[in-house]
């Protein structure tokens, strides 16, 4: 399953939201990846998410693969779109 999203948070995926994203992703058994600028980043790894350097206005594609992929996709999409500051 794939979701295309635009990051609206003014500061992008900086430390706080990146940490929250990783914590949320780790709740799921599914493999969760962020695809950005022709690279893949593990959404369950804080260092991986931070190394993506996702800024405000950047479009990312997230993929979810596993038994709980639908729930993971819904919750993580809601989290990304709900980020503020």
């Amino acid at each position: 399953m794939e979701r295309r999203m635009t990051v609206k948070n003014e500061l992008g995926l900086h430390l706080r939201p990146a940490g929250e994203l990783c914590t949320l992703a780790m709740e799921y058994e599914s493999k969760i990846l962020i695809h950005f600028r022709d690279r893949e980043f593990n959404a369950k790894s804080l260092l991986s998410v931070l190394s993506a350097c996702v800024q405000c206005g950047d479009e990312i594609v997230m993929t979810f693969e596993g038994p709980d992929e639908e729930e993971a996709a819904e919750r993580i999409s809601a989290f990304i779109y709900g980020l503020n500051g």
Side-chain angles (χ1 to χ4, degrees), residues 33-42 47-54 59-63:
L33 298 174
I34 299 168
H35 301 268
F36 181 62
R37 295 191 178 144
D38 298 323
R39 293 184 57 206
E40 284 184 352
F41 303 91
N42 181 355
L47 289 177
S48 184
V49 174
L50 287 173
S51 71
C53 298
V54 177
E59 183 177 78
I60 60 173
V61 175
M62 293 193 71
T63 56

Side-chain angles (χ1 to χ4, degrees), residues 5-81:
M5 301 171 239
T6 300
V7 175
K8 304 280 187 191
N9 183 26
E10 289 179 358
L11 301 174
L13 288 181
H14 60 90
L15 184 58
R16 184 192 51 79
E20 291 173 4
L21 172 62
C22 291
T23 299
L24 181 58
M26 285 189 283
E27 292 179 18
Y28 296 97
E29 197 176 322
S30 294
K31 181 177 181 180
I32 304 171
L33 298 174
I34 299 168
H35 301 268
F36 181 62
R37 295 191 178 144
D38 298 323
R39 293 184 57 206
E40 284 184 352
F41 303 91
N42 181 355
K44 296 181 181 183
S45 164
L46 180 58
L47 289 177
S48 184
V49 174
L50 287 173
S51 71
C53 298
V54 177
Q55 302 296 315
C56 182
D58 286 341
E59 183 177 78
I60 60 173
V61 175
M62 293 193 71
T63 56
F64 305 85
E65 184 180 317
D68 50 7
E69 65 187 24
E70 289 183 29
E71 182 183 346
E74 288 302 316
R75 285 192 61 210
I76 290 175
S77 295
F79 171 78
I80 294 291
Y81 284 120

